[in-house]
Amino acid sequence: MNKAGVLFSIALVLIASTGLSGQKVETDSKKMEWFGDARLGIFIHWGIYAVNGIDESWSFYNGYISYPDYMKQLDGFTAENYDPGRWVELIKNSGARYAVLTTKHHDGVALWDSDYGDLNVVDRTPAGRDLVGPFVKEMRSEGLKVGLYYSVLDWSHPDYPNFTKEEKRYEDDPERKARFRSFNHGQIEEISKKYNPDLWWFDGDWEQSAEWWGAREIREMILDNNADAIINSRLQGYGDYATPEQGMPVKRPEDEYWELCMTMNDSWGYQHNDSNYKSPSQVIKIFSECLSMGGNLLLDIGPRADGSIPEEQVEILEEMGQWTSKHGEAIYGTRAGLPPGYYYGPSTLSADSTRLYLFMHGRPADGQLMLEGVKNKINRIYVVGNGTKLEYSEYLKPYWSNHAGLIFIDVPGNVCDEYTSVICLLLDGKLELSE
Ligand code: GLC
């Protein structure tokens, strides 16, 4: 590779590792509609790592546990209390419109009955059955969109070049590379044919180039089977939307479609020793920020090895559900809200731009919200999910000026939500802003 090529590859790796799309393909905006409207998804990291309660795959890769000891977890993965109907009930009630289940993490353990190799929960764990199919079925019967996570890198596969941080299997071996590729593409095709996901959540692409993975071929294969399938950014430029991970964008991302993926505590999978949970109030604040910048939140849960979902996670899902069901009109199908400087808090806009939603964490000491720069006539202001009509006054609006006035909205304490309140401004037409 020449110098420019090397620099280009480095740039691609950087783009991929931050989860930004660096897209090489055109995305059909029609197929993205449901995703753009859905706003909340639930990520599910379920795998043998829940047995010991340790980092998914990374714990052996980084040498915190030996590979054989990591793999001993296979014997403890029972799924005996796995109730996909209950999972889906919790997901639906949280207000999420889609969920993404890990079908295979970097450790290579498939959660379905794969014909490629025997490293799967059917052949190698007491669970002894396909765990993906029943979930997909329940999701579909509840009208939710199905996302499946698949790690393209597989540190267990004998023909994959990387094994652990210290140990590599080979540098350059076209034959082994070709064997791995047919395995990898075979599994992807298998998932595509068996479950036909609405959304593919690839991961681990940073270890190789687009050419190495055959990323273009993977995209083509998926779209041949389902032209409406959505693909996340982690396919070396061949995806449709960006996936910032565990990091809140401060400015609105440039990508039209994006999704923040975030853990509830500090772990993707179940870890009994991690009790650093965010509170429902914090999760709702973070979700409001995503909405305000036009993005989705993919909120993670990590079921135990028996398939049960930890109580702390259930509680967050339920509290989210209370809040999303009350504030639905300010969430689903909305667009990014005001640019910075107009209102000091998150906001969203209805798809037709005639309703402006102001989010309010807590209540200002003097009970008033301030809004700047909105030129429209305001037909009504009300509290979302409660309906109370609110009074407001306007200042800095002399009759000779064309500039928008300053609006002060009175918000009595008794209309406020336990978490974040939302105030709707019904405008006389499409939102118009002063500079
Ligand atoms: C990653 C990690 C991983 C996790 C994922 C979720 O980059 O490799 O363990 O599953 O992101 O976003």
Side-chain angles (χ1 to χ4, degrees):
M1 203 187 284
N2 62 25
K3 202 168 156 201
V6 171
L7 287 177
F8 182 62
S9 318
I10 292 173
L12 281 183
V13 168
L14 287 177
I15 287 165
S17 61
T18 55
L20 300 173
S21 56
Q23 230 170 294
K24 291 180 186 156
V25 288
E26 284 239 350
T27 288
D28 159 19
S29 59
K30 190 90 190 88
K31 80 170 185 186
M32 298 303 290
E33 253 172 44
W34 73 259
F35 180 82
D37 290 346
R39 315 320 297 274
L40 181 64
I42 301 298
F43 213 170
I44 307 168
H45 274 70
W46 196 30
I48 63 166
Y49 37 86
V51 173
N52 290 5
I54 55 178
D55 283 355
E56 66 293 340
S57 314
W58 293 98
S59 49
F60 76 80
Y61 181 85
N62 286 329
Y64 310 143
I65 185 172
S66 70
Y67 183 73
D69 283 342
Y70 181 92
M71 282 299 160
K72 277 188 196 144
Q73 294 179 104
L74 286 165
D75 302 333
F77 193 72
T78 66
E80 61 193 328
N81 294 316
Y82 175 41
D83 179 354
R86 171 70 181 139
W87 282 22
V88 171
E89 186 188 1
L90 278 170
I91 291 166
K92 190 169 188 183
N93 291 344
S94 75
R97 300 270 164 99
Y98 65 107
V100 178
L101 171 67
T102 48
T103 62
K104 186 182 96 166
H105 205 263
H106 313 327
D107 60 13
V109 181
L111 239 61
W112 79 98
D113 192 6
S114 179
D115 288 338
Y116 294 83
D118 75 340
L119 189 52
N120 62 66
V121 296
V122 186
D123 294 331
R124 299 279 296 277
T125 74
R129 62 196 192 279
D130 169 28
L131 301 174
V132 178
F135 173 74
V136 170
K137 195 166 154 234
E138 292 289 341
M139 288 286 286
R140 294 235 154 92
S141 75
E142 288 300 325
L144 298 172
K145 296 285 185 186
V146 174
L148 295 179
Y149 166 111
Y150 179 85
S151 169
V152 280
L153 73 77
D154 185 331
W155 292 324
S156 281
H157 195 279
D159 290 314
Y160 186 69
N162 301 340
F163 177 34
T164 67
K165 204 161 127 192
E166 304 300 334
E167 221 180 309
K168 308 291 163 219
R169 296 189 178 90
Y170 62 88
E171 277 286 329
D172 185 27
D173 185 333
E175 236 172 78
R176 291 179 81 179
K177 173 178 154 184
R179 277 208 299 267
F180 180 76
R181 186 191 284 206
S182 67
F183 161 81
N184 214 17
H185 289 207
Q187 282 200 328
I188 294 168
E189 190 174 20
E190 212 176 23
I191 293 175
S192 170
K193 295 261 156 72
K194 266 187 198 246
Y195 310 118
N196 191 21
D198 304 295
L199 184 152
W200 286 80
W201 217 99
F202 286 111
D203 199 15
D205 67 333
W206 57 82
E207 285 202 346
Q208 316 292 342
S209 66
E211 184 283 322
W212 200 97
W213 296 120
R216 189 170 48 78
E217 293 81 354
I218 292 176
R219 184 179 173 92
E220 278 168 11
M221 182 209 318
I222 288 171
L223 297 184
D224 274 353
N225 193 42
N226 175 3
D228 291 331
I230 294 176
I231 301 174
N232 76 339
S233 60
R234 302 188 185 183
L235 194 58
Q236 288 289 14
Y238 287 86
D240 300 308
Y241 74 90
T243 57
E245 174 176 329
Q246 301 278 49
M248 181 52 124
V250 176
K251 284 200 217 138
R252 189 176 168 190
E254 277 173 19
D255 302 81
E256 188 175 357
Y257 297 98
W258 64 272
E259 171 200 69
L260 170 70
C261 53
M262 182 183 84
T263 52
M264 285 186 175
N265 50 6
D266 295 323
S267 315
W268 294 107
Y270 172 64
Q271 300 209 12
H272 49 79
N273 207 28
D274 180 352
S275 56
N276 193 26
Y277 281 95
K278 294 161 195 78
S279 66
S281 161
Q282 289 167 332
V283 174
I284 288 167
K285 282 182 180 159
I286 293 167
F287 181 39
S288 308
E289 285 298 317
C290 293
L291 294 171
S292 185
M293 292 186 284
N296 290 5
L297 174 66
L298 186 64
L299 180 64
D300 183 70
I301 59 172
R304 297 189 187 91
D306 69 356
S308 60
I309 300 178
E311 294 65 40
E312 298 92 329
Q313 303 180 9
V314 170
E315 195 200 324
I316 293 175
L317 292 178
E318 287 176 348
E319 293 301 297
M320 283 294 279
Q322 293 271 351
W323 190 81
T324 52
S325 65
K326 179 174 170 190
H327 298 104
E329 64 165 284
I331 301 172
Y332 308 107
T334 60
R335 306 288 176 259
L338 296 166
Y342 289 81
Y343 170 66
Y344 289 89
S347 60
T348 58
L349 258 182
S350 61
D352 67 0
S353 292
T354 65
R355 286 173 196 238
L356 174 62
Y357 296 99
L358 305 178
F359 291 57
M360 191 180 87
H361 307 314
R363 184 173 174 252
D366 64 358
Q368 283 195 329
L369 286 188
M370 188 174 85
L371 174 69
E372 306 171 45
V374 171
K375 283 183 151 182
N376 304 68
K377 177 170 170 285
I378 297 167
N379 287 342
R380 172 178 280 258
I381 303 185
Y382 64 89
V383 182
V384 174
N386 160 299
T388 306
K389 182 182 160 196
L390 299 182
E391 301 299 328
Y392 70 96
S393 29
E394 187 174 25
Y395 297 98
L396 291 168
K397 181 70 187 146
Y399 73 89
W400 43 262
S401 165
N402 189 25
H403 198 272
L406 265 188
I407 306 285
F408 290 90
I409 306 168
D410 294 317
V411 189
N414 60 8
V415 300
C416 290
D417 190 86
E418 175 189 358
Y419 299 122
T420 294
S421 311
V422 185
I423 311 297
C424 175
L425 276 70
L426 210 61
L427 309 174
D428 63 342
K430 283 186 188 307
L431 176 74
E432 269 188 77
L433 296 176
S434 279
E435 289 293 302

